[in-house]
Amino acid sequence: MTDQVLSQALIEEATKKSGLIWVRGDGPSRPLWHVWHEGAAHVVGDCPGEQPLPRLVSGTTAEVTVRSKDKGGRLISWTAAVSELEPHSEAWESVVAELKGKRLNAPDAEQMTERWARECRVLRLEPKDAITSLPDGSLAAAPLPTPATTRHAVPAALPRLLLARKKKRAQK
């Protein structure tokens, strides 16, 4: 019993302090901003102007990985029971009030909650059971191929130009 209470406290404290969590449902993990409210992480998204959510359906589970706010490394990983909140329900209203306070740079701050009710999904990610082991490896995705590059050979004239500047400074 004590281990479960400590696990829940660790999940809550780590998730509250992290501004970003990684959530994996049916598909790749996605970084999501969230709020911790009444024993669960809550996220909003899947609509224009908001974060894309991973494929999550009510009644399923998701894997949540919490990162350190200061160092960015993985702190803890836990399994969450997923449920979608019904727009304008009592639970939805209390969560959206919290989410609205953390939403940065909203283009429509006055009508944001109505837009969320019409177009977005608000999900509750409630810790289930206990802490899971952290995934192995970096989990970094390979960058997409692109013709853009930042590495080029040093121009042939550059060493002479830099040397000429140093000579001028030395003569002064």
Side-chain angles (χ1 to χ4, degrees):
M1 181 66 180
T2 311
D3 287 344
Q4 187 175 8
V5 172
L6 289 174
S7 294
Q8 289 294 86
L10 179 60
I11 289 169
E12 181 175 345
E13 199 60 29
T15 308
K16 272 184 187 177
K17 290 189 178 193
S18 180
L20 188 72
I21 56 176
W22 289 83
V23 180
R24 183 171 50 88
D26 182 24
S29 293
R30 290 200 180 265
L32 303 174
W33 66 271
H34 69 286
V35 295
W36 185 270
H37 183 68
E38 295 181 355
H42 294 82
V43 295
V44 63
D46 275 354
C47 58
E50 299 299 338
Q51 62 191 349
L53 300 176
R55 289 183 292 218
L56 297 171
V57 181
S58 280
T60 61
T61 60
E63 189 68 28
V64 178
T65 303
V66 180
R67 70 175 184 100
S68 166
K69 191 170 187 169
D70 58 344
K71 301 289 185 191
R74 288 174 279 187
L75 284 178
I76 190 171
S77 191
W78 49 277
T79 303
V82 178
S83 59
E84 186 167 349
L85 301 179
E86 189 64 35
H88 296 296
S89 66
E90 187 177 326
W92 187 90
E93 292 289 346
S94 68
V95 167
V96 164
E98 296 289 324
L99 285 165
K100 185 178 179 181
K102 286 204 55 177
R103 173 65 166 94
L104 302 176
N105 304 321
D108 60 345
E110 298 302 317
Q111 294 82 26
M112 184 168 51
T113 55
E114 283 306 312
R115 179 173 55 87
W116 285 352
R118 276 190 325 271
E119 303 171 12
C120 298
R121 297 172 63 208
V122 176
L123 301 178
R124 177 181 172 88
L125 305 173
E126 187 171 355
K128 181 181 172 184
D129 299 329
I131 299 167
T132 59
S133 60
L134 287 173
D136 291 332
S138 74
L139 302 180
L144 298 173
T146 176
T149 182
T150 56
R151 294 183 181 218
H152 297 285
V154 175
L158 186 59
R160 286 192 306 261
L161 289 172
L162 294 175
L163 188 59
R165 284 185 188 170
K166 285 184 181 178
K167 284 184 182 178
K168 285 183 183 178
R169 286 185 190 158
Q171 291 174 354
K172 290 183 181 181

